[in-house]
Amino acid sequence: SRGRKVLSDGERERLLEAYEGCGLTQKEFCRREGVNYHTFVSWLGQRRKSRDRNGPSHRSDFVEMVVPFGSASESGFELDLGGGLVVRTGDEDALWRLIERIRG
């Protein structure tokens, strides 16, 4: 034996679900659970491909929002999201709706 663990589909799915909510890196999680890192990454890739083909198995929190863009003037509003992403609008209500959506 090469020291391999054979996991059932249910055990594999349990590990993938546990990883999603744990806040650890993939390597940290694998070390903690005693799972080969490369095998685990392969499982994640297979799961992602399956979801891409069959649609997501979970509800997406992404909501498209169109924020009116006014002319850049003193009466405009600006929200700096970091990483070079800035939202500018002349509509204060739209900006507050965006902020509330971001806060969740």
Side-chain angles (χ1 to χ4, degrees), residues 11-84:
E11 291 169 315
R12 183 182 305 176
E13 188 61 29
R14 181 194 60 77
L15 281 171
L16 291 169
E17 291 294 327
Y19 167 71
E20 287 181 351
C22 75
L24 299 173
T25 66
Q26 292 173 359
K27 285 187 178 184
E28 291 168 338
F29 181 80
C30 290
R31 194 174 304 119
R32 183 183 82 182
E33 297 296 325
V35 176
N36 180 285
Y37 170 75
H38 299 289
T39 301
F40 187 72
V41 170
S42 173
W43 293 347
L44 288 170
Q46 290 170 6
R47 186 183 210 200
R48 184 180 61 245
K49 285 180 186 176
S50 174
R51 285 182 175 174
D52 288 347
R53 278 193 307 268
N54 302 324
S57 62
H58 63 284
R59 184 182 65 82
S60 173
D61 290 331
F62 177 77
V63 175
E64 182 177 2
M65 197 171 181
V66 178
V67 179
F69 183 78
S71 63
S73 68
E74 286 186 26
S75 63
F77 300 93
E78 183 174 291
L79 176 62
D80 186 343
L81 298 172

Side-chain angles (χ1 to χ4, degrees), residues 86-103:
V86 177
V87 176
R88 292 183 186 95
T89 182
D91 183 343
E92 182 180 12
D93 291 333
L95 185 60
W96 281 111
R97 286 193 309 272
L98 176 62
I99 290 168
E100 289 302 313
R101 180 59 71 182
I102 291 169
R103 287 182 180 164

